[in-house]
Amino acid sequence: MNNPNNNGNNKGSSTLDSISKEIEDRDEQRKLQQLRNKEIHQQTQIDLSNSNNITKCINEINQLEKEIENELQQIDLSTSSKDSTTTPLTIDSIKNTFNDIEHKIATMSLLLAESNHFLPLFEIKNLNLTISNVQKNTNTLKDKVIPKQKFSFKRAAKSSTPKVTNNTTIDTSIPSPAVAPLVDNESIFDNSNIKGFNGKELVYPPTATTSTSSSSDTINDLLISNLVDCKVILKMKVLTACKINNIKNCTIISHSPIDGSIFIDNCIDTTFSFSSRQIRIHYSSNCRFNIFVKSNPIIEGCNGIKFSSYPHRQLQLTDQDYSRFMQYNFDLININADTEKYKDVNDFDWLQTKPSPHWELVKEEQE
Amino acid sequence: MGLLTVLKKLKQKEKELRILLLGLDNAGKTTILKKFNGEDISTISPTLGFNIQTLLYKDYKLNIWDVGGQKTLRSYWRNYYEENDAVIWVIDSSDIRRIDDCKEELKKLLDEEKFAGASFLVFANKQDLDGALTSEQIAKYMDLESLSTHHWEIKSCSAVTGQGLEEGIEWVVNDIISRCFILD
């Protein structure tokens, strides 16, 4: 532009430059717009997820943490001051306090688990850290004060320290493929396994009499397999994931919402009643699902599957279970999602637009 | 001439990484992706087909292809094998019943010529569950130690809590960079 006598080549490159600049500018603006959109999106999400709940949950956990720290301090003081005059009585009371502390830690992780879906990632990280710190402090002090009790402690802490339980359960459960089918014939009914029963009614957790209840009614990984003619009722407080396979002519009912996915494989003539975040049904036939679900259920390789809504009125839920179900339900309304997701079943074997012949909707059962 | 813009474009494209996210169904692939992207994970449906998500990580643009893992979809995985910088294999560490299934699918994948040179990350997901195997146990069972054809790494993670995700993605990005952009 400054030098009109120059050859056209220069001019051409300058227009090219300006064009490329324009393109770059436009890209930049687009990026900014995207960022802004994302921000707005995030903001609305935070608004909707009820900040009251968040602060309440954090406060509660922090409160528990403080109480535990206080108790730990007291134990530490009392043991270090009268080292020589320890009597069995004080040891008993110390044990009691430790039990109490373990309960509190379990409640803390339970609270966190329950509020996982509405807490911001950062808070979850923080709270996890707090809990593991408290756990560590308790462990070290306990080792110091009552070293012999180390083993029984590990057991009681099951629900709050999954890492510890990993080591104990895994060694037996890794399947060497050749052995696995043999083991299947055995009947097992324990913390994370319901397997190999015939014509029984199973209520889970077994009975509320076992004193270590806090660990047995917060199960986060349940496996139900190889049942015939059984009725299974699940009543634990917290259940995160559930895998079900090889079931014939059974009824499986869960009174509590399942916070993760249910994976169902190879079931025949069975009725399921669940509320859950995700349901996946594989290679099953003639089953009925009374479900409340937060995402679309899927079926693969299935036939004769019936869906209807979760019969929470007929289940005669306890007040606690009912309030949990409503809470679960409420979360969903909160994020403006569809409450009737169970009607939109995705069939992996049916890509046509007309309805799949493998499943149908039915009315809620009247009993 | 326009060569400069062409070069610029090429340069920009180099900062785009294509990553394939695979694994059996119910492993948590979509949940990992959404969690990493800060989206809501409570209403994810099982993936019918695939998702593409673009993430910005450091200076890099990660195009992540998340393909459904259902048995009926596995035969379509091959359609996504071209030109990947990295493959992330996601495992449900608590799914002991199908671990042999998982091993077999993984073996098929690793034998694929099209992945020669791609970085290879295994996510041992669902570590928040009690019955989850540790990453060491999985590495051992899957025979990962004997794998010499790829740069590989196994990371334990939990998509629900978000723990371990960033470390995994960081490894993938760093490994790709160290492989491809040494000349920079």
Side-chain angles (χ1 to χ4, degrees):
Chain A
M1 294 288 270
N2 295 341
N3 204 345
N5 291 335
N6 220 334
N7 52 21
N9 207 352
N10 217 345
K11 233 186 214 170
S13 81
S14 76
T15 47
L16 261 179
D17 259 357
S18 68
I19 288 172
S20 76
K21 205 169 178 192
E22 235 170 72
I23 291 173
E24 269 175 5
D25 281 348
R26 211 196 309 149
D27 276 354
E28 198 121 5
Q29 269 177 353
R30 216 177 279 160
K31 235 182 246 170
L32 273 174
Q33 186 63 38
Q34 269 175 352
L35 269 177
R36 226 173 287 144
N37 282 347
K38 209 175 157 191
E39 250 170 36
I40 291 167
H41 182 67
Q42 274 176 348
Q43 231 148 34
T44 48
Q45 261 192 349
I46 289 167
D47 285 346
L48 286 167
S49 65
N50 206 343
S51 57
N52 271 345
N53 268 346
I54 296 177
T55 46
K56 202 177 132 198
C57 165
I58 294 169
N59 282 343
E60 240 168 285
I61 291 182
N62 283 337
Q63 178 69 27
L64 280 170
E65 192 233 340
K66 260 182 215 155
E67 283 174 25
I68 292 171
E69 288 295 342
N70 275 341
E71 280 170 335
L72 286 179
Q73 225 164 28
Q74 273 173 8
I75 294 173
D76 202 16
L77 278 177
S78 72
T79 50
S80 53
S81 63
K82 26 179 178 168
D83 242 347
S84 51
T85 56
T86 38
T87 58
L89 237 181
T90 53
I91 283 183
D92 261 2
S93 71
I94 285 171
K95 270 187 199 164
N96 274 341
T97 354
F98 269 123
N99 275 342
D100 193 33
I101 289 171
E102 275 150 27
H103 267 289
K104 276 179 188 162
I105 292 173
T107 340
M108 275 163 84
S109 31
L110 203 150
L111 256 174
L112 183 60
E114 275 176 347
S115 358
N116 228 339
H117 52 282
F118 63 73
L119 283 179
L121 194 54
F122 172 73
E123 296 296 349
I124 292 175
K125 217 170 167 183
N126 264 352
L127 293 174
N128 260 329
L129 201 71
T130 330
I131 293 176
S132 65
N133 272 342
V134 170
Q135 183 81 55
K136 218 164 64 189
N137 290 345
T138 322
N139 271 347
T140 45
L141 188 64
K142 192 157 188 183
D143 282 354
K144 204 172 97 187
V145 182
I146 16 178
K148 280 172 201 161
Q149 292 299 310
K150 204 177 165 191
F151 264 105
S152 74
F153 171 71
K154 270 193 174 169
R155 219 172 175 189
K158 214 170 190 175
S159 64
S160 43
T161 53
K163 282 262 161 78
V164 176
T165 52
N166 281 350
N167 297 334
T168 54
T169 51
I170 283 147
D171 294 333
T172 54
S173 54
I174 283 191
S176 71
V179 182
L182 290 175
V183 180
D184 274 353
N185 296 331
E186 227 176 292
S187 295
I188 303 173
F189 186 49
D190 66 14
N191 263 356
S192 53
N193 232 326
I194 301 176
K195 189 174 180 182
F197 285 94
N198 199 332
K200 284 234 168 107
E201 178 164 334
L202 306 162
V203 180
Y204 196 96
T207 35
T209 50
T210 41
S211 55
T212 52
S213 59
S214 67
S215 67
S216 73
D217 61 6
T218 62
I219 297 305
N220 61 16
D221 185 16
L222 181 71
L223 183 68
I224 301 175
S225 59
N226 301 341
L227 301 183
V228 183
D229 304 326
C230 286
K231 182 171 185 179
V232 180
I233 300 177
L234 307 174
K235 287 183 167 180
M236 58 280 282
K237 267 191 196 136
V238 176
L239 179 58
T240 315
C242 188
K243 302 188 181 80
I244 300 172
N245 62 73
N246 296 338
I247 306 282
K248 201 176 172 190
N249 197 25
C250 292
T251 306
I252 297 179
I253 297 170
S254 172
H255 283 207
S256 42
I258 292 153
D259 204 37
S261 70
I262 302 177
F263 189 95
I264 292 162
D265 198 359
N266 201 9
C267 295
I268 305 169
D269 302 326
T270 297
T271 304
F272 299 88
S273 300
F274 280 129
S275 58
S276 163
R277 194 159 66 81
Q278 229 181 44
I279 291 183
R280 302 159 177 263
I281 304 159
H282 302 267
Y283 307 99
S284 299
S285 55
N286 298 326
C287 289
R288 184 190 170 105
F289 289 85
N290 307 316
I291 52 173
F292 170 83
V293 64
K294 285 191 172 190
S295 60
N296 302 342
I298 61 126
I299 62 175
E300 184 187 27
C302 290
N303 222 327
I305 308 287
K306 298 185 177 71
F307 289 94
S308 85
S309 58
Y310 183 67
H312 58 91
R313 277 178 209 88
Q314 276 133 53
L315 280 179
Q316 294 166 341
L317 301 176
T318 61
D319 287 349
Q320 210 184 6
D321 285 334
Y322 183 73
S323 73
R324 264 210 313 280
F325 173 76
M326 289 316 280
Q327 174 74 36
Y328 204 66
N329 212 335
F330 177 72
D331 285 348
L332 190 136
I333 292 162
N334 230 1
I335 50 176
N336 290 323
D338 190 351
T339 46
E340 298 193 321
K341 287 270 189 195
Y342 74 92
K343 289 182 178 169
D344 302 322
V345 180
N346 287 331
D347 185 350
F348 276 75
D349 305 304
W350 196 258
L351 301 174
Q352 303 176 35
T353 44
K354 58 180 180 183
S356 155
H358 304 136
W359 63 274
E360 57 179 326
L361 290 174
V362 290
K363 272 194 179 157
E364 205 175 299
E365 254 166 17
Q366 304 291 327
E367 283 184 45
Chain B
M1 294 284 275
L3 186 61
L4 185 68
T5 42
V6 172
L7 279 177
K8 264 187 189 165
K9 273 258 167 71
L10 265 178
K11 190 85 183 156
Q12 257 169 11
K13 229 181 185 164
E14 267 180 18
K15 295 229 161 184
E16 268 182 40
L17 308 177
R18 182 175 148 135
I19 297 172
L20 188 59
L21 195 61
L22 289 177
L24 298 193
D25 44 329
N26 200 31
K29 297 175 289 298
T30 311
T31 310
I32 285 180
L33 198 56
K34 298 233 163 164
K35 186 73 179 186
F36 194 77
N37 207 18
E39 288 175 47
D40 176 42
I41 57 166
S42 68
T43 54
I44 296 171
S45 287
T47 310
L48 191 77
F50 64 92
N51 302 313
I52 311 169
Q53 193 97 249
T54 306
L55 304 178
L56 286 174
Y57 186 76
K58 293 184 179 163
D59 284 343
Y60 295 88
K61 208 166 161 194
L62 315 181
N63 290 319
I64 303 190
W65 293 65
D66 158 32
V67 187
Q70 255 70 24
K71 239 183 215 161
T72 29
L73 293 179
R74 286 179 210 161
S75 49
Y76 300 105
W77 282 358
R78 62 176 69 252
N79 300 338
Y80 303 87
Y81 287 176
E82 305 282 349
E83 290 179 4
N84 290 295
D85 294 301
V87 180
I88 300 179
W89 181 258
V90 184
I91 297 176
D92 173 354
S93 314
S94 70
D95 194 356
I96 293 155
R97 187 173 67 95
R98 293 196 302 158
I99 199 160
D100 287 316
D101 245 6
C102 183
K103 188 177 174 180
E104 208 170 290
E105 292 289 348
L106 181 60
K107 204 164 169 239
K108 266 192 229 162
L109 200 72
L110 288 170
D111 287 342
E112 192 63 48
E113 281 171 19
K114 284 170 183 161
F115 291 131
S119 308
F120 188 75
L121 174 73
V122 177
F123 260 137
N125 192 21
K126 304 206 183 180
Q127 291 295 326
D128 54 309
L129 298 186
D130 280 346
L133 300 172
T134 62
S135 55
E136 291 83 17
Q137 285 169 319
I138 288 173
K140 207 170 167 196
Y141 195 81
M142 301 262 170
D143 253 346
L144 288 178
E145 274 94 351
S146 63
L147 179 63
S148 55
T149 47
H150 296 76
H151 282 206
W152 68 273
E153 176 71 56
I154 183 163
K155 298 270 185 199
S156 51
C157 74
S158 161
V160 177
T161 63
Q163 166 241 332
L165 295 185
E166 191 165 347
E167 287 93 324
I169 301 290
E170 194 179 1
W171 179 84
V172 167
V173 172
N174 286 340
D175 193 66
I176 298 171
I177 295 168
S178 67
R179 203 154 36 77
C180 304
F181 305 124
I182 304 167
L183 299 175
D184 256 9

